[in-house]
Amino acid sequence: PVNRINSKDSPVRPITIPKTCGRCHANKAMMKRHDLPSDVVSKYRFSVHGKSLLNKHNLEAPSCTGCHGAHGTHNPNVSEFDEACTRCHSEEAKAFKKSKHMRTWEITGAPLCITCHGNHDIQNPGLAMLSTGKGSVCGKCHSKGEAPDKLHDILQKLEDAYVRGQAI
């Protein structure tokens, strides 16, 4: 017997899930009636998760159902956004909880992961996120010349040294 989920025409095949969800969630008129954004699927397509699943065919990458669950708009095993993220990124979550930034989140109550990384448009962490310039995540809270720029410069030097070492 053929496994229907993995057949090319299955609407619930992992690589097809964003298209299936997009039938409604990319429909501007429908989403407007429900006061929901209609750009979540397009944001996902260009996210690090979307590129991994849709371009590289990495079936380990989460699709819509990975965070929201298969039968509804909320995964019953996840009570917070952060729990959805930490199911796969547990080591990163442990490191964050030991960081100086954790105190800020305890005070503000802001969602841990999505405040900096987004939810549908998650970008691959990199040096551009650290600076206080255009496209910077850290620059939203830190002003020019503070820790993100210094950390960016240190990591840039390390990355440059690594590249030089690989060339040798």
Side-chain angles (χ1 to χ4, degrees), residues 24-99:
C24 295
H25 289 278
N27 181 319
K28 289 182 181 180
M30 182 183 292
M31 292 299 98
K32 187 174 182 175
R33 285 194 307 266
H34 298 284
D35 197 30
L36 293 170
S38 62
D39 62 350
V40 294
V41 176
S42 62
K43 283 182 175 181
Y44 171 80
R45 288 184 193 285
F46 295 102
S47 74
V48 67
H49 294 149
K51 288 176 184 175
S52 184
L53 177 68
L54 301 172
N55 300 350
K56 297 178 182 176
H57 299 267
N58 174 4
L59 300 180
E60 298 292 317
S63 67
C64 310
T65 57
C67 300
H68 295 283
H71 299 284
T73 59
H74 181 71
N75 188 332
N77 299 317
V78 177
S79 63
E80 301 276 338
F81 283 114
D82 304 321
E83 288 180 38
C85 302
T86 59
R87 285 189 323 216
C88 297
H89 300 286
S90 59
E91 292 303 312
E92 290 83 351
K94 287 178 192 173
F96 180 81
K97 288 184 179 182
K98 293 177 184 176
S99 76

